[in-house]
Amino acid sequence: MKLNKQDILNALKTISVPGEGENMVDSGAVTNVVTFADEVIVDITIKNPSLQAKKKTEVDILQTIHREVYEKAKIKVNLKVDAPVKPTTNEIKGKPIPGIQNILAVASGKGGVGKSTVTANLAVTLAKMGFKVGVLDADIYGPSIPIMFDVANERPLSVNVDGKSKMKPIENYGVKVLSIGFFTKPDQAVIWRGPMASKALNQMIFDAAWGELDFLLLDLPPGTGDIHLSIMQALPITGAVVVSTPQNVALADAKKGVAMFQQDSINVPVLGIIENMAYFTPAELPENKYYIFGKEGARHLAEDLDVPFLGEVPLIQSIREAGDVGRPAALQTATPIEEAFEELTRNVVQQVVNRNENLPATEAIKITTMAGCSAVNKK
C-alpha cells in the first residue's frame, strides 16, 4: 500500500503533545513527514524532556498511524527534545544528610487513604530486599508510625557522634524509626504552630544518628502545607510518592499533591502514584473483586498527569490488623499481601534508579549497593 502524507498528518492531528494543549501538527511539533510506499518517517520535536513524555509520544504516533491509516505501516519516529531554558527561580532546597543516599517523601492530598500503612510496608519490604532503611514520621499532629512498628513505648537514646549528642533512632524489623510520638504522651495532643512543628522536625532530621541509609522514607502529613515546605527547605528530596484511593474525592486532593511537588519553586520529581484500597476480595470468594471506592481511579489519574503508576494495594482486613498490632502486613510470607507490596516496592526502586540516571541529582544520590541491583531484578 502506498501511504499518503496528508493522511498521516490528519492522523497526527488527533494526538496532543505531552504537557501542551494543541495537537502535534498545529503546534509545530511535527517538523517533517516523509512517505515511501508503506514506509513513513515522522520527525518530531517536543519540549518535555521526561522519559515518560518521550515514550508516550512515540507510542501514540505508532498506534495512531496503525489505527487510522494503515495497520501494517512501517514507521520510524525521529524524536528530538528542545527543552526551554528554565528561568532562575528561588528553589526550595535543603542540605543533604551525610550517609543517606535517597530521601523519598510519601504524601497524600487527603487523610485516611492509608499513607502511613503504605510507608510502613514499603519500608519493611525494602529492608527485606537488603536495603538499609529509615522512616521519619513527619506527621507531627497524628504520628502513627510508632504503633505500626510496635515501638510506641520506646524512647530514643542519646549517643555521642563526633563529639556531638545525637538521637539514636528506634529500630524494628530492620528499619530505623523516629517520630514525634516518641516524645509525647499517648493522650497528649500536639498543639503547635507551624514554626514550632518545623523546629521539632529539623531536630529529628539533623540531630539524629541515622548512620548509613539507602532510603529514608518521610511519612508526610496530609495536604500541602507548612510541614511540607519545611521538609523541602530542610532536605534535598530524591522523589515523591503520592498515595490515593480510587475515590474521586481522594483523587482530587492527590492531584493537588502532585502539583505541589511539580511547582517550579519546589521541583521534586514525582516517582509515581500508588492506589490503596483498590478493591476488596472476600476470602470465601477469592475470584471476586468488589471496587468499593471506585475502579482504577488512581491509575487513570497517573495517566492523565503523565506520571508512573506504581501499583495497587487491595483492601484486606489483615493489612489493617497488622498495622494495629505493630507488625506490617508485608512481613506475612508467601501471601498475596507480600506479593503486592514486593511488586509495588520494585516499581518504586526502579523509578528511583530511572530518576537518578536521567535527572540532575539534588546532591550525590545514587543507588550503589548490590542490594539495589538485586531488588530491581528480584522476581
Side-chain angles (χ1 to χ4, degrees), residues 32-36 39-43 74-78:
N32 193 28
V33 172
V34 177
T35 60
F36 180 76
E39 299 178 15
V40 57
I41 300 173
V42 178
D43 295 334
K74 299 173 184 176
I75 307 165
K76 181 179 180 182
V77 179
N78 296 324

Side-chain angles (χ1 to χ4, degrees), residues 2 7 19 36 52 73 109 147-148 172 223 226 291:
K2 185 176 181 180
D7 292 339
F36 180 76
Q52 292 92 348
I147 295 174
M148 293 186 173
N172 200 13
D226 196 46
Y291 297 93

Side-chain angles (χ1 to χ4, degrees), residues 98-162:
I100 298 181
Q101 299 301 312
N102 298 279
I103 303 174
L104 305 186
V106 184
S108 67
K110 187 175 183 60
V113 298
K115 170 183 50 59
S116 296
T117 299
V118 169
T119 302
N121 283 282
L122 186 59
V124 297
T125 306
L126 284 168
K128 284 199 302 180
M129 288 176 170
F131 290 106
K132 298 173 183 176
V133 187
V135 173
L136 173 65
D137 189 355
D139 195 347
I140 293 289
Y141 305 109
S144 53
I145 289 296
I147 295 174
M148 293 186 173
F149 278 87
D150 194 24
V151 290
N153 296 322
E154 302 286 338
R155 295 294 177 266
L157 299 175
S158 177
V159 294
N160 190 289
V161 180
D162 298 329

